[in-house]
Amino acid sequence: MLAKSRMQELFLGLSQSEILAEVRAQKESGATNEEIIRDLHGGIMAVDDAFGEGRMFVADLVVSAEIFRLAVDIIMPDSESGILTPIKSKGKVVIGTAKDDLHDIGKGVTSSLLRAAGYEVIDIGVDASPSDFVDAARKSGARIMAISCLLTTCMPSIISTIEELKRTGLSSRVKTIVGGAPLSAKFAGYCGADAYGPHARDAVIFADSVYAKGQAV
């Protein structure tokens, strides 16, 4: 078993002040943004691994995602906007919460993991309409659309979003993944989504598989 790095240990302890201090120290010592981002990526992924093993909880993922955001803001102040651009982008992902759903936690954690993995994330927020998703995908040139939903009453909006994607002719280019407590692989198949992700890390796995097929921009 490989020894964990200092950053991984700090993230597993959710030590915000120490993580931010470590980032500042690395920056002052001359480390590049890419090197620091890579170190932070290792930290947040350690938390995600621990979550997958049942050793940490959703609340821990939320805290680690916020720490990651604060850490990145130290070296990349412009990252507060909706478009989160990594040092070297592996591709673009549009993400949002379905229409009439105001839950942000799952989307926020997924956005952080995607960015940590090297993706440019276009976060369109909560209560996003089908046209919001499609317009963002069209304008950004993203090849992936991730839709979060935590309310059963909002599931029809996912269907409408994917139908709108097909109507505009973008479905051949833009691949969709859906996730959230009330959803399932069966629902994903029914609504025409390309994948179902019960966990935030599944969005990263899906993005890697899509862009590995030569679809990167």
Side-chain angles (χ1 to χ4, degrees):
M1 183 176 180
L2 294 175
K4 290 183 173 59
S5 69
R6 171 171 169 74
M7 188 66 79
Q8 288 174 321
E9 293 287 3
L10 291 177
F11 262 93
L12 289 170
L14 302 178
S15 307
Q16 176 175 316
S17 61
E18 292 183 71
I19 290 170
L20 300 185
E22 176 69 15
V23 168
R24 292 188 182 97
Q26 289 187 22
K27 186 175 182 180
E28 291 173 2
S29 69
T32 66
N33 286 358
E34 185 174 0
E35 289 171 337
I36 300 174
I37 288 288
R38 189 181 303 118
D39 201 19
L40 289 169
H41 169 248
I44 197 172
M45 293 310 292
V47 175
D48 189 54
D49 288 342
F51 172 75
E53 295 168 2
R55 295 185 287 112
M56 297 188 84
F57 307 96
V58 172
D60 299 322
L61 281 177
V62 174
V63 172
S64 67
E66 176 61 13
I67 293 174
F68 179 88
R69 185 188 68 77
L70 293 172
V72 171
D73 282 345
I74 292 174
I75 58 174
M76 299 169 62
D78 294 337
S79 66
E80 293 179 355
S81 63
I83 300 179
L84 305 177
T85 309
I87 303 301
K88 289 184 179 179
S89 177
K90 291 163 64 176
K92 299 176 183 179
V93 180
V94 169
I95 189 169
T97 304
K99 180 66 178 173
D100 295 324
D101 191 333
L102 301 179
H103 291 89
D104 186 64
I105 291 177
K107 176 183 66 63
V109 172
T110 302
S111 293
S112 291
L113 290 182
L114 282 165
R115 187 186 186 199
Y119 289 95
E120 180 177 333
V121 179
I122 297 90
D123 188 339
I124 60 174
V126 300
D127 188 24
S129 68
S131 60
D132 289 335
F133 277 102
V134 173
D135 288 347
R138 180 189 296 112
K139 293 176 182 177
S140 68
R143 300 293 175 87
I144 297 174
M145 179 185 294
I147 308 173
S148 175
C149 176
L150 273 75
L151 300 175
T152 55
T153 53
C154 299
M155 290 166 67
S157 176
I158 296 178
I159 298 175
S160 298
T161 298
I162 294 177
E163 288 178 343
E164 179 70 6
L165 193 66
K166 292 177 179 178
R167 187 188 69 77
T168 56
L170 291 176
S171 59
S172 60
R173 173 174 66 83
V174 181
K175 305 305 176 185
T176 54
I177 181 170
V178 299
L183 309 186
S184 65
K186 183 176 181 180
F187 173 77
Y190 171 76
C191 70
D194 296 291
Y196 162 64
H199 304 295
R201 68 166 67 185
D202 293 319
V204 176
I205 295 171
F206 178 67
D208 285 345
S209 69
V210 170
Y211 280 101
K213 295 176 181 177
Q215 296 185 340
V217 293

